[in-house]
Amino acid sequence: MRRKIVAANWKMNMSLYETENFWKVFDTEISESTNIEIVIAPPFTALYKLSELTAKSQKVRLGAQNMHFEKSGAYTGEISATMLRELFVRYVILGHSERRQHFGETNELINKKVLAALASQLRVILCVGETLAEREAGKEKEVVEKQLRGCLKGVKPEQFDDIVIAYEPVWAIGTGRNATPEQAQDCHSAVREFLSELAGKEIAQRVRIQYGGSVNPSNAPQLLEKPDIDGALVGGASLDPRNFALIVRAAESTQSS
Ligand code: PGA
């Protein structure tokens, strides 16, 4: 049984004031005994605040949206895994398509970050997904396989338990156009196949695969009931505490015991 994992990716949004207001509402919407894992990845500037706010409740784990692969040094503007650990960050999102697209991140660079995060006991949410042109050319699985092989190079089988894969078709991110549950399931089961080749069938069965791309409270229930969809990575809809709570509830109600 895989425990579902729903993560909020706030991207470059949310001031400290907005973070506090979000938490006031979200905290009351979510029960202490939730049967799924909830992660919030705010911008770096709100990590400390959110870490203080969430410390008491233990309902939510903290995530970061990026990190550098070195531990420290002359890397102006960067943040290391050690610094994230100090703020009680448990997860780091790596390989997001916006970082690939706007900041030139390659599979090779992302691989360095994955290895560094794991070595610092951070869990990784690794994003993969094809562009619209790649899907139209029928190449989505090929692209995703290449990303997985490149980004997970050198990861030891026993480290796969600290990895979550987020399948996020680029054409569905922030566009309001989500993949259908069938399209998503098809790619998720292909991802699991690739993971079996990389780490063995038993381990691949344990790895959680999130879907991301225009997830909202109305499409979440159908997506999350698919057998290989183990959670969601949510951008836009996670900025509203009530909407995000509804997505969490959809995950809770599709969680098999
Ligand atoms: P979206 O973003 O939910 O706004 O489409 C998802 C993501 O980028 O992780």
Side-chain angles (χ1 to χ4, degrees):
M1 190 266 299
R2 294 183 293 267
R3 190 169 172 222
K4 287 209 159 66
I5 173 164
V6 173
N9 174 11
W10 283 357
K11 309 190 181 185
M12 199 169 69
N13 297 296
M14 302 293 256
S15 64
L16 293 180
Y17 176 72
E18 288 165 331
T19 300
E20 223 164 316
N21 283 341
F22 176 98
W23 183 251
K24 269 186 215 147
V25 178
F26 189 68
D27 191 26
T28 58
E29 295 274 337
I30 296 299
S31 85
E32 291 287 346
S33 58
T34 180
N35 57 352
I36 66 150
E37 200 171 355
I38 306 167
V39 178
I40 301 180
F44 290 134
T45 46
L47 273 176
Y48 185 68
K49 167 65 71 191
L50 200 61
S51 136
E52 282 185 324
L53 291 168
T54 57
K56 285 180 224 100
S57 83
Q58 306 287 322
K59 294 175 193 170
V60 162
R61 295 191 204 278
L62 268 195
Q65 298 173 21
N66 183 30
M67 56 166 254
H68 194 272
F69 58 83
E70 290 291 354
K71 282 198 165 67
S72 63
Y75 298 100
T76 303
E78 293 290 328
I79 303 271
S80 74
T82 326
M83 292 166 173
L84 296 176
R85 293 274 299 155
E86 209 179 5
L87 295 177
F88 306 103
V89 169
R90 300 289 297 279
Y91 282 88
V92 60
I93 300 172
L94 294 176
H96 192 281
S97 67
E98 287 153 13
R99 297 223 48 96
R100 294 175 190 261
Q101 191 185 334
H102 304 303
F103 303 96
E105 293 202 6
T106 59
N107 290 332
E108 200 181 6
L109 175 70
I110 298 159
N111 180 234
K112 284 188 185 174
K113 295 185 181 198
V114 169
L115 296 175
L118 294 173
S120 293
Q121 277 78 49
L122 276 176
R123 294 183 185 158
V124 171
I125 296 179
L126 173 66
C127 303
V128 294
E130 80 286 357
T131 61
L132 186 58
E134 289 162 344
R135 174 158 285 260
E136 281 171 353
K139 291 195 169 147
E140 63 275 12
K141 290 182 188 148
E142 201 182 302
V143 168
V144 166
E145 175 171 10
K146 192 165 172 223
Q147 291 171 335
L148 286 172
R149 287 193 190 280
C151 297
L152 295 173
K153 207 166 165 191
V155 174
K156 300 190 187 80
E158 65 271 19
Q159 291 180 307
F160 275 75
D161 285 327
D162 287 330
I163 291 189
V164 173
I165 306 294
Y167 168 64
E168 298 205 304
V170 180
W171 47 271
I173 297 178
T175 57
R177 180 183 167 193
N178 64 291
T180 64
E182 293 68 33
Q183 283 172 323
Q185 167 59 30
D186 185 40
C187 278
H188 280 228
S189 81
V191 167
R192 210 175 292 291
E193 278 297 312
F194 302 141
L195 293 174
S196 311
E197 288 171 29
L198 293 175
K201 195 160 189 269
E202 201 181 312
I203 291 172
Q205 281 305 321
R206 292 204 299 265
V207 176
R208 292 170 299 173
I209 308 172
Q210 295 175 309
Y211 168 78
S214 297
V215 175
N216 60 38
S218 19
N219 60 31
Q222 292 79 36
L223 286 160
L224 288 163
E225 72 186 14
K226 290 290 177 196
D228 285 295
I229 303 187
D230 308 311
L233 180 55
V234 190
S238 75
L239 300 175
D240 178 305
R242 290 188 183 84
N243 279 341
F244 189 52
L246 286 169
I247 297 169
V248 166
R249 275 191 222 119
E252 287 171 342
S253 62
T254 51
Q255 173 70 57
S256 47
S257 47

